[in-house]
Amino acid sequence: MNYNFHKSLSVLLFALVLSACQKNELQLQTDSLEILVNDRGHIISFAHIQTNAQYSDPSQSSPLISIRSNDVIFPPDQSTWDINSQIIKLFYESPGIEVTVTYREKGSHITFEVSEVIGNNPIDIVLWGPFATTLQDVVGETVGVVQNPDYAIGIQALNLKTLGGYPTHEDDTEPSYNIFATSTYVDVADSVNVIYRGQTAKHTPNGSVLQAYTRDRSKERIIPVWGHEYYVAPAFEDGGVIGSKIALFGTPAQSVLATIEKIVLEEGLPYPTLNNEWIKTSSLASASYIIHSFSENNLDEALELTKAAGLNYLYHGDPFRNWGHFDLKEELFPDNWESMKRAVENAAEQGVRLGVHTLSNFITTNDPYVTPVPDPRLAKVGNSTLSAHIDASQTTIPIDDPTFFNQMQNNNLQTVTIGGELIRYSRVSDSEPWQLLGCERGAFGTTASSHEAGSEISKLMDHDYRVFLSNQSLSEEIAIRLADLFNQTGLRQISFDGLEGNWSTGMGQYGRQLFAQTWYNHLKPELQHDIIIDASNPGHSFWHIYTRMNWGEPWYAGFRESQTQYRLLNQDYFSRNLMPRMLGWFSMTDATGLEDIEWLLARAAGFDAGFAMVTSPDIVRRNGLGTEVIQAISNWETLRMAGSFPEEIKEKMRNVNNEFHLVKLSGKDYQLYQYHIETINHARITRQPGEPVWTDIRFDNPYHEQNLQWVIHAPQDTSIRNIFIEIGNSRAIELDIEIPSGGFLRIDGNGIASLYDSRQIKLHDIEIPADRLLIYSGEQRIKFDCSFQQSTDSTVRVEFKTMDEGTMISI
């Protein structure tokens, strides 16, 4: 910037004179919030107009704008204002800088925008706030809203270059951090480490702060990025700090979303809808879906599965032959995008919408952006020059400077580019003359060739998924190509997995948001609505585009155990950030039972959260209870999406230790039962002759007198037989049957014992006299024993259960 500020002293004197002629405080108002700005340019009051309640934190200053100049952050020293032209002038004495802010008072919010900067010294950052409040009950770190039970104050960035948060990192990545806080949903004795994603709002000792900033990117910088100490962040022209713009608002807590919706509409922010309702309030935003690698040829079978589960979305987890150009796998979609278009149209005729999983700006090594001629816009860590001529076969490459090449953290493909050739190297020499050693010439299908001394050689940025990444120009092109895919095919669901790949632009969350916004802006207008969007990570501005987030993966443990606490902590995150809730991905296998599925479905109902079910028609067929499992999903999800579960029951369902069973009666009526369950793990032990080897428990039945139900799970490594159960020291049951390894025996309330193998296939039924199963209300003793057919350290898991009289649930 070229500043002209040689008369800074006279301007400051003028400011003092003008200040003496005006009130000492500028009063700004919305329908519900009053803000006072003092003559130092600091906000000194956030007050609820109707109640006069004060929410500013007097222990911490709240500058309207702080600036960073020559690596030092300065709050304003003086301010003046003109209520007729609606401007505020902020003066920063030490660097000799004046910033003009234009403001507008509106019913729902107040906007502030940097309209002019004057001064001899450069500004590389303008920082809105941090604005300190006493509100701390709910801190929405991503959406930028802080609340107590009665009132909320929020900040909204009004363009992409205004980033939510604080410039903690020079690469503008938005930090996640943990604090010890009470979780609403995780059942622990004390507190838990709650994950916070971003810091547009952030906890403080006395409350919270709201903050946003804009960086001047007009000059190239070398900064740390994603495991690299030295990374070239190219210059990017977006007008710099001029135009940085925010909205501040305050509202009764129950009106937060309604207020943000007004801001979105008035300020022209993205406003996607589902069935003509804003995505952040639409019940359809938490719609569950099936994940299955369908093809054009087997689509009808996948659609039948989706409809049988009562769902309307079918999602392909891995459809692409390459990432970058997003060509589809030929064996699945022989006519590429045209095949997908036909599949989308076929599905739509049957009331199902199709979606795909993407890796955002990840670029596979088989993509045309890489081979046979690499695109010059592949993201580069940095450059050097060849210190000597090399021929096409040389495996030692002389370079002038090793700085960007010997950073081995997050250096997965170890690839450089010279002209149209990619070269992989093993290592960098330890001393001068600097050389890349052990090189593979013409890597990834490019052509090895000779290169002259002085030629530019660049280290490419990559990721451990064995992919390259893009600079900002290529990110924009990839986002547009991805939008073209949706425009041409009519796909209606996407997940921007790997969205953090756009850190390769050197602009952190700004690069990430530019990618998503570019994609959204290039969709056909009708596709900007009735489309479901999620991603690998959120963001403040991105909050307006994405429908929901769906974190939680099924690959790490059993059906109930995989990332359970993480999934529950995410419900805290979704709640405090005013987002539809999701439980993540779950995997239905040959061995997934009805109890596990209903455990999930009860959580979904309790949190009003959707989920993804990874399965296939083949898996459902192989699972002996597959049809029952799919029907259970349909029953539960029908009631959840209709909003039929009462809040008092949903509260119980949010406890992962509570289990339920839903029975469809007829028409729109269902009966919901809650179980009381106590579990034992019976081990194979050896004791002295005559000493009992059974396992016993004190079972406290909170419900009415009834027949005891149970499920006996054999270990995976041995079958069991000679089942012995005794209830109340008086009613013994001995079953001379063998439960196969991995199988189970289920006894229902009618006295029918059903034997299943490890794939949930029923082998046969046994009838047990009902009088032997009777269990009274209150506490009684239950004993269990069996014989193990092979020597093992595994245990037999037995679930004893009773159930309440049931609650009628109707749509």
Side-chain angles (χ1 to χ4, degrees):
M1 297 181 187
N2 183 17
Y3 296 104
N4 180 17
F5 197 72
H6 59 279
K7 296 183 178 180
S8 58
L9 180 60
S10 62
V11 172
L12 285 173
L13 289 173
F14 170 77
L16 291 171
V17 172
L18 184 59
S19 175
C21 299
Q22 64 181 5
K23 294 181 179 179
N24 290 331
E25 297 165 354
L26 172 64
Q27 183 185 57
L28 304 173
Q29 289 188 340
T30 72
D31 293 339
S32 300
L33 174 69
E34 179 190 74
I35 295 175
L36 297 181
V37 182
N38 69 9
D39 56 8
R40 293 179 53 240
H42 293 241
I43 293 178
I44 58 171
S45 174
F46 291 108
H48 184 183
I49 288 179
Q50 283 72 31
T51 66
N52 294 320
Q54 179 58 241
Y55 297 109
S56 62
D57 177 8
S59 70
Q60 184 173 343
S61 63
S62 296
L64 181 60
I65 288 181
S66 294
I67 62 171
R68 193 174 80 171
S69 179
N70 297 318
D71 295 327
V72 179
I73 292 179
F74 299 93
D77 300 296
Q78 182 71 30
S79 71
T80 64
W81 48 84
D82 183 334
I83 59 175
N84 294 317
S85 57
Q86 295 182 298
I87 63 170
I88 303 170
K89 291 187 178 293
L90 302 170
F91 302 97
Y92 303 81
E93 183 174 355
S94 179
I97 291 172
E98 173 188 322
V99 175
T100 300
V101 176
T102 302
Y103 68 87
R104 296 289 183 268
E105 296 171 278
K106 305 184 180 184
S108 55
H109 62 287
I110 304 167
T111 65
F112 299 91
E113 181 176 7
V114 175
S115 55
E116 186 179 21
V117 175
I118 303 173
N120 287 328
N121 289 304
I123 293 179
D124 63 340
I125 288 174
V126 295
L127 172 62
W128 296 98
F131 305 122
T133 86
T134 57
L135 299 172
Q136 59 182 340
D137 290 29
V138 180
V139 175
E141 71 273 29
T142 301
V143 67
V145 177
V146 293
Q147 304 181 53
N148 69 13
D150 301 319
Y151 199 70
I153 296 176
I155 185 173
Q156 290 290 289
L158 296 182
N159 51 45
L160 289 185
K161 71 179 180 181
T162 308
L163 305 180
Y166 191 90
T168 304
H169 301 145
E170 288 303 298
D171 63 358
D172 295 316
T173 53
E174 198 169 19
S176 294
Y177 59 96
N178 297 350
I179 66 170
F180 283 100
T182 300
S183 170
T184 306
Y185 308 120
V186 177
D187 184 17
V188 291
D190 286 309
S191 56
V192 294
N193 225 0
V194 176
I195 304 170
Y196 279 78
R197 298 176 173 97
Q199 50 181 350
T200 307
K202 190 172 183 178
H203 284 277
T204 63
N206 296 319
S208 59
V209 291
L210 299 165
Q211 51 200 2
Y213 70 100
T214 298
R215 184 187 296 276
D216 177 14
R217 304 176 189 277
S218 60
K219 295 180 180 179
E220 178 180 289
R221 299 178 299 141
I222 297 178
I223 58 175
V225 171
W226 210 355
H228 297 81
E229 185 177 357
Y230 304 102
Y231 193 99
V232 175
F236 183 70
E237 292 297 337
D238 62 359
V241 300
I242 303 297
S244 181
K245 188 175 184 180
I246 64 164
L248 290 177
F249 67 93
T251 182
Q254 67 271 18
S255 303
V256 173
L257 272 176
T259 301
I260 296 177
E261 185 176 14
K262 291 177 183 177
I263 296 171
V264 167
L265 291 170
E266 187 156 348
E267 301 300 330
L269 298 176
Y271 187 72
T273 61
L274 288 169
N275 198 22
N276 296 316
E277 184 178 356
W278 188 35
I279 55 171
K280 290 302 187 288
T281 57
S282 171
S283 61
L284 299 178
S286 66
S288 298
Y289 55 103
I290 296 290
I291 299 179
H292 169 50
S293 296
F294 60 87
S295 69
E296 185 180 12
N297 290 332
N298 68 15
L299 177 64
D300 286 336
E301 191 178 31
L303 293 175
E304 288 304 316
L305 171 61
T306 306
K307 292 186 292 182
L311 306 180
N312 300 113
Y313 287 88
L314 174 61
Y315 181 83
H316 203 303
D318 186 23
F320 297 111
R321 177 166 56 87
N322 53 41
W323 300 330
H325 279 72
F326 302 106
D327 295 311
L328 297 165
K329 293 178 178 178
E330 293 176 359
E331 65 273 22
L332 302 180
F333 303 97
D335 294 329
N336 203 13
W337 292 7
E338 279 301 311
S339 285
M340 181 63 80
K341 179 181 179 181
R342 290 194 295 266
V344 168
E345 291 170 349
N346 181 2
E349 290 175 358
Q350 301 186 51
V352 177
R353 293 176 171 180
L354 301 187
V356 292
H357 192 79
T358 72
L359 267 295
S360 301
N361 73 322
F362 286 22
I363 304 170
T364 50
T365 58
N366 66 333
D367 190 85
Y369 285 130
V370 175
T371 185
V373 179
D375 193 291
R377 297 168 298 171
L378 293 174
K380 299 175 177 65
V381 177
N383 307 313
S384 185
T385 54
L386 293 181
S387 57
H389 169 86
I390 61 172
D391 61 31
S393 61
Q394 196 167 324
T395 59
T396 299
I397 309 297
I399 59 174
D400 286 331
D401 186 345
T403 300
F404 297 110
F405 301 83
N406 59 9
Q407 302 177 100
M408 292 304 180
Q409 184 180 350
N410 199 20
N411 186 0
N412 307 283
L413 295 177
Q414 295 182 202
T415 301
V416 299
T417 178
I418 312 175
E421 181 186 1
L422 297 182
I423 302 171
R424 300 185 74 183
Y425 64 99
S426 297
R427 60 189 181 91
V428 181
S429 59
D430 295 331
S431 59
E432 295 187 79
W434 300 113
Q435 296 175 320
L436 305 181
L437 304 176
C439 294
E440 174 194 344
R441 302 298 301 275
F444 304 114
T446 61
T447 301
S449 58
S450 61
H451 303 280
E452 297 301 318
S455 297
E456 184 176 86
I457 179 171
S458 303
K459 169 67 181 71
L460 292 183
M461 180 63 175
D462 59 37
H463 184 276
D464 65 4
Y465 277 25
R466 194 179 170 80
V467 294
F468 295 111
L469 300 166
S470 54
N471 71 7
Q472 178 51 39
S473 173
L474 186 53
S475 278
E476 182 176 338
E477 183 171 300
I478 291 172
I480 292 172
R481 182 164 179 83
L482 189 56
D484 289 342
L485 168 66
F486 276 70
N487 289 335
Q488 291 186 32
T489 63
L491 286 162
R492 293 286 180 164
Q493 185 179 358
I494 188 171
S495 177
F496 288 109
D497 197 4
L499 195 58
E500 66 276 8
N502 285 278
W503 294 346
S504 63
T505 62
M507 297 192 292
Q509 61 163 314
Y510 190 19
R512 190 180 65 196
Q513 292 175 174
L514 280 167
F515 184 89
Q517 185 77 55
T518 299
W519 172 82
Y520 182 81
N521 287 347
H522 282 83
L523 292 177
K524 293 177 179 178
E526 63 268 25
L527 268 178
Q528 291 181 344
H529 303 279
D530 292 317
I531 190 167
I532 286 183
I533 304 162
D534 67 46
S536 58
N537 48 70
H540 176 65
S541 292
F542 187 31
W543 184 92
H544 297 288
I545 297 178
Y546 62 73
T547 315
R548 78 272 180 108
M549 294 288 155
N550 192 31
W551 295 307
E553 297 181 1
W555 324 119
Y556 309 110
F559 190 91
R560 304 189 190 197
E561 294 81 18
S562 186
Q563 298 190 327
T564 300
Q565 187 177 78
Y566 175 69
R567 296 175 194 268
L568 296 180
L569 288 176
N570 281 332
Q571 306 315 305
D572 283 309
Y573 170 77
F574 300 144
S575 178
R576 66 179 181 262
N577 284 286
L578 310 175
M579 292 163 53
R581 294 175 177 174
M582 297 294 288
L583 286 171
W585 292 23
F586 292 83
S587 179
M588 178 185 171
T589 68
D590 300 357
T592 302
L594 190 60
E595 287 86 1
D596 283 339
I597 286 292
E598 290 206 293
W599 176 88
L600 159 64
L601 294 169
R603 263 24 82 192
F607 289 111
D608 194 13
F611 57 86
M613 183 60 65
V614 183
T615 189
S616 71
D618 284 342
I619 288 173
V620 174
R621 279 191 292 267
R622 292 197 302 266
N623 185 313
L625 294 173
T627 301
E628 292 181 55
V629 166
I630 296 302
Q631 184 60 54
I633 294 174
S634 178
N635 292 343
W636 281 86
E637 283 294 280
T638 297
L639 290 175
R640 182 180 75 85
M641 295 302 288
S644 299
F645 291 103
E647 182 56 39
E648 61 271 18
I649 292 179
K650 290 167 66 174
E651 184 176 355
K652 295 178 181 178
M653 290 175 174
R654 291 193 282 267
N655 185 333
V656 295
N657 297 313
N658 291 336
E659 299 199 32
F660 299 83
H661 177 53
L662 185 67
V663 176
K664 184 171 184 177
L665 301 177
S666 62
K668 297 182 178 181
D669 295 332
Y670 298 76
Q671 190 79 356
L672 179 70
Y673 298 96
Q674 181 173 357
Y675 287 123
H676 172 72
I677 298 179
E678 296 188 23
T679 302
I680 64 170
N681 289 292
H682 177 72
R684 180 178 182 272
I685 57 177
T686 301
R687 291 180 177 164
Q688 64 184 358
E691 183 178 357
V693 293
W694 62 60
T695 300
D696 66 351
I697 60 170
R698 297 283 181 179
F699 186 93
D700 189 2
N701 176 22
Y703 305 131
H704 59 282
E705 179 182 305
Q706 60 188 279
N707 289 340
L708 181 67
Q709 303 177 51
W710 64 78
V711 183
I712 304 170
H713 299 269
Q716 295 293 330
D717 55 1
T718 180
S719 61
I720 60 172
R721 61 181 311 154
N722 299 325
I723 310 301
F724 169 81
I725 294 175
E726 184 176 84
I727 305 171
N729 290 334
S730 61
R731 293 174 299 285
I733 300 165
E734 298 185 50
L735 301 175
D736 185 17
I737 61 172
E738 183 170 351
I739 304 177
S741 56
F744 62 95
L745 181 71
R746 177 189 287 133
I747 291 84
D748 67 17
N750 298 316
I752 303 299
S754 300
L755 181 64
Y756 294 83
D757 68 10
S758 60
R759 289 169 50 190
Q760 315 286 308
I761 295 175
K762 185 187 288 189
L763 302 177
H764 57 82
D765 289 337
I766 304 167
E767 188 170 353
I768 299 174
D771 61 344
R772 313 305 294 167
L773 300 173
L774 187 65
I775 187 166
Y776 304 114
S777 182
E779 184 180 285
Q780 47 242 280
R781 192 174 181 182
I782 300 176
K783 301 185 182 73
F784 175 83
D785 195 10
C786 68
S787 60
F788 293 74
Q789 297 306 99
Q790 290 85 32
S791 178
T792 178
D793 291 330
S794 300
T795 60
V796 175
R797 180 165 59 92
V798 186
E799 302 167 6
F800 295 104
K801 53 189 177 181
T802 56
M803 63 184 184
D804 66 7
E805 295 180 347
T807 303
M808 177 76 76
I809 308 288
S810 298
I811 297 176

